[in-house]
Amino acid sequence: MSLHTTRVRRRRLGVAAAAFGLIASFLAAAPAVATPDPGDAPTTRERVSTSEAADTKAAIKAGEIPPVDAVVHSDNVSHLANIPKDALPGTNSDLAFQGKYAFAGNYDGFRIFDVSNPKAPKTVSQVLCPGSQNDITVSGDLLFLSTDSSRSDNSCSSATQPATEKSSWEGMKVFDISEKRNPKYVAAVETACGSHTHTLVPERRNVYIYVSSYSPSDTFPDCKPPHDGISVIKVPRSAPEKSAVVDFPVLFPDGGNPGAPTNPGVSQTTGCHDVTTFPKLKLAAGACMGDGILFDISRPERPRVIDRVQDNVNFAFWHSATFNERGNKVVFTDELGGGGAPTCNEATGPHRGADGIYDITGKGDHRKLAFRSYYKIPRHQADTENCVAHNGSLIPVKGRDIMVQAWYQGGVSIWDFTDSKRPKEIGYFERGPISADTLVGGGSWSAYYYNGYIYSNDMAKGFDVLRIDDRRTDGAKWVRLKELNVQTQPDYL
């Protein structure tokens, strides 16, 4: 039974160390192992100290945090449904939407839900195709899947294989989803250093894909340094089997942020983690490890950097980006601890593992990213809960900047950044820790608003559907989209 609460929990806790598709019948395949981040670690278990476990149990007993697995949320949020994992046991990852369907990535493949009744989503199909993270997007009859684990080949029955072997494969997979109950694997494109995430720039005849990847090594035949840009793939809609890399634009001619020891605690820039495009404005924002960038995509095959910023005090790993509706702000996230650490505590503080809000000032090639403030959830989490800023989307409310965002075991936060200098939370949903004794990776990977509802893909607990009823967000319920890939930002209004 849900506990409705609007209180803000603050407490003192100890600090832990921060630090082809196959439907119904599945082939046996080795588990997918992603490129070690920082960035989106799969479920792990790690013992915490006796005192940290005791602090967690005391906080539960005092009512400062929910009991293990208990669901809590603010009064303006309702939890409508949860669909546990089924045939795909791996870590749940990103989400995409089209019509009445939601597409949910998983390290072992992807799952398609019918969400025509959001209170009772139904599984349409499940596809086994290991290749973490399986970051997922859709466009028309095509579905795109990122593979960022070194595989023996590009098939859905591949096994893990060291990246040091020349025959190993990583990159993009393309599926035909014209029949949702029977997706068909139609194409694959190998990309340098694989594809950790990807972003679409869709056009009528072609779909351009910006592939983000990183962590090169002199020992990797297909991923050698320098790796200072993104791969651009061109996919002809009428002939996806002809998909190919058409360019690798260099975004960091100087190599980007050097990281430690020059900037201690900051990731060296060796590529981008995620890119968000805003096709209407011909803009994109890149979260690129040690750098945040703004670039022009008026020529999709030739993206061009306009401005670049760093935060060597509070940002450890630039993870993702979101524009506001008018395109004059960008919210960047910092994935401190790589998604596997408990950083939503008092000791870490409000400025690390947070969002950075930037205004876009100036015009044309003179546009600049100007820092305004940080936002972090105001509810401290236990030292057994991985928690940090992660994937979110706008809630399309005219005249306001409101976002819903995943925070792993910090849950789902709904917050207003209309005033760039004074962001504030207006609603939330979360579960209690998975364990009071052990740090277990889990929580909401992505939380997105689509056609009146919030959908969350929990790494461990499955697919959640939420609804917010609040005068500040009610106007968004009238906005209807035919398709949503959050990192290809639509003109909502």
Side-chain angles (χ1 to χ4, degrees), residues 147-222:
T147 299
D148 193 36
S149 58
S150 186
R151 312 297 297 176
S152 56
D153 55 53
N154 64 11
S155 74
C156 284
S157 57
S158 66
T160 56
Q161 181 170 291
T164 51
E165 296 188 23
K166 176 62 179 173
S167 63
S168 295
W169 185 91
E170 299 179 67
M172 290 297 309
K173 294 169 181 168
V174 185
F175 290 78
D176 182 326
I177 54 168
S178 54
E179 295 181 35
K180 302 297 187 293
R181 294 187 178 277
N182 186 31
K184 297 178 181 178
Y185 184 9
V186 296
V189 181
E190 187 170 15
T191 55
C193 302
S195 174
H196 195 70
T197 67
H198 69 273
T199 306
L200 304 186
V201 187
E203 295 186 335
R204 181 172 296 180
R205 294 184 178 181
N206 305 301
V207 180
Y208 290 95
I209 305 176
Y210 293 165
V211 176
S212 296
S213 56
Y214 52 91
S215 296
S217 169
D218 286 323
T219 66
F220 298 162
D222 298 318

Side-chain angles (χ1 to χ4, degrees), residues 273-292:
H273 181 277
D274 212 342
V275 170
T276 292
T277 61
F278 201 155
K280 176 189 175 184
L281 300 182
K282 303 187 185 305
L283 280 178
C288 303
M289 305 181 74
D291 294 88

Side-chain angles (χ1 to χ4, degrees), residues 364-432:
D365 286 352
H366 299 290
R367 283 172 286 192
K368 299 290 183 182
L369 291 164
F371 174 76
R372 293 295 183 250
S373 68
Y374 297 103
Y375 170 76
K376 193 171 184 179
I377 56 173
R379 292 157 287 109
H380 291 153
Q381 307 296 307
D383 288 324
T384 60
E385 295 179 281
N386 60 308
C387 177
V388 75
H390 213 236
N391 294 345
S393 76
L394 289 184
I395 297 180
V397 182
K398 189 174 183 178
R400 302 195 70 84
D401 299 324
I402 299 178
M403 185 172 174
V404 58
Q405 185 177 4
W407 290 77
Y408 290 116
Q409 285 192 73
V412 175
S413 178
I414 301 158
W415 59 287
D416 187 322
F417 62 104
T418 306
D419 183 340
S420 299
K421 294 183 179 180
R422 295 173 181 82
K424 59 182 179 181
E425 185 172 78
I426 63 173
Y428 70 90
F429 165 88
E430 68 166 297
R431 291 180 169 89

Side-chain angles (χ1 to χ4, degrees), residues 17-42:
F20 326 16
L22 306 172
I23 315 335
S25 61
F26 294 91
L27 292 177
V33 180
T35 299
D37 251 5
D40 318 321

Side-chain angles (χ1 to χ4, degrees), residues 23 101 111-114 122-126 180-182:
I23 315 335
Y101 299 103
R111 188 174 183 178
I112 303 177
F113 293 99
D114 181 335
K122 296 179 180 179
T123 298
V124 176
S125 58
Q126 302 185 64
K180 302 297 187 293
R181 294 187 178 277
N182 186 31

Side-chain angles (χ1 to χ4, degrees), residues 26 32 41-45 81-95 104-113 121-123 125-127 133 431 434 440-445 456-464:
F26 294 91
T43 302
T44 58
R45 293 178 179 268
N82 171 260
I83 310 298
K85 293 181 186 179
D86 187 17
L88 303 176
T91 298
N92 283 333
S93 57
D94 211 4
L95 294 168
N106 177 286
Y107 273 48
D108 287 326
F110 65 92
R111 188 174 183 178
I112 303 177
F113 293 99
K122 296 179 180 179
T123 298
S125 58
Q126 302 185 64
V127 176
Q133 314 181 130
R431 291 180 169 89
I434 295 174
V440 182
S444 180
W445 178 291
S456 167
N457 213 18
D458 188 294
M459 294 165 68
K461 300 296 183 182
F463 183 72
D464 288 301

Side-chain angles (χ1 to χ4, degrees), residues 206-471:
N206 305 301
V207 180
Y208 290 95
I209 305 176
Y210 293 165
V211 176
S212 296
S213 56
Y214 52 91
S215 296
S217 169
D218 286 323
T219 66
F220 298 162
D222 298 318
C223 181
K224 290 182 178 291
H227 185 74
D228 45 17
I230 56 175
S231 298
V232 180
I233 297 175
K234 182 179 180 179
V235 181
R237 291 188 186 275
S238 60
E241 69 279 3
K242 296 181 180 179
S243 301
V245 175
V246 293
D247 201 6
F248 186 88
V250 172
L251 304 177
F252 304 98
D254 65 352
N257 197 317
T262 303
N263 297 315
V266 178
S267 295
Q268 178 187 2
T269 298
T270 60
C272 289
H273 181 277
D274 212 342
V275 170
T276 292
T277 61
F278 201 155
K280 176 189 175 184
L281 300 182
K282 303 187 185 305
L283 280 178
C288 303
M289 305 181 74
D291 294 88
I293 59 174
L294 183 71
F295 49 105
D296 181 302
I297 59 168
S298 53
R299 298 174 62 196
E301 292 186 27
R302 302 285 188 273
R304 181 172 54 85
V305 175
I306 299 172
D307 193 30
R308 172 177 151 199
V309 290
Q310 297 178 356
D311 180 346
N312 294 318
V313 175
N314 288 313
F315 260 48
F317 187 86
W318 295 68
H319 178 277
S320 51
T322 302
F323 288 96
N324 68 339
E325 172 60 23
R326 290 186 294 165
N328 59 5
K329 298 178 186 179
V330 182
V331 174
F332 289 103
T333 67
D334 171 29
E335 195 183 43
L336 173 69
T343 69
C344 297
N345 50 29
E346 189 173 12
T348 302
H351 296 157
R352 302 183 68 237
D355 297 319
I357 303 167
Y358 287 75
D359 285 352
I360 300 175
T361 63
K363 296 181 179 180
D365 286 352
H366 299 290
R367 283 172 286 192
K368 299 290 183 182
L369 291 164
F371 174 76
R372 293 295 183 250
S373 68
Y374 297 103
Y375 170 76
K376 193 171 184 179
I377 56 173
R379 292 157 287 109
H380 291 153
Q381 307 296 307
D383 288 324
T384 60
E385 295 179 281
N386 60 308
C387 177
V388 75
H390 213 236
N391 294 345
S393 76
L394 289 184
I395 297 180
V397 182
K398 189 174 183 178
R400 302 195 70 84
D401 299 324
I402 299 178
M403 185 172 174
V404 58
Q405 185 177 4
W407 290 77
Y408 290 116
Q409 285 192 73
V412 175
S413 178
I414 301 158
W415 59 287
D416 187 322
F417 62 104
T418 306
D419 183 340
S420 299
K421 294 183 179 180
R422 295 173 181 82
K424 59 182 179 181
E425 185 172 78
I426 63 173
Y428 70 90
F429 165 88
E430 68 166 297
R431 291 180 169 89
I434 295 174
S435 170
D437 302 293
T438 304
L439 175 59
V440 182
S444 180
W445 178 291
S446 298
Y448 299 146
Y449 188 93
Y450 177 69
N451 291 354
Y453 296 88
I454 294 168
Y455 298 90
S456 167
N457 213 18
D458 188 294
M459 294 165 68
K461 300 296 183 182
F463 183 72
D464 288 301
V465 185
L466 313 174
R467 186 182 68 226
I468 180 168
D469 296 291
D470 190 292
R471 59 178 178 78

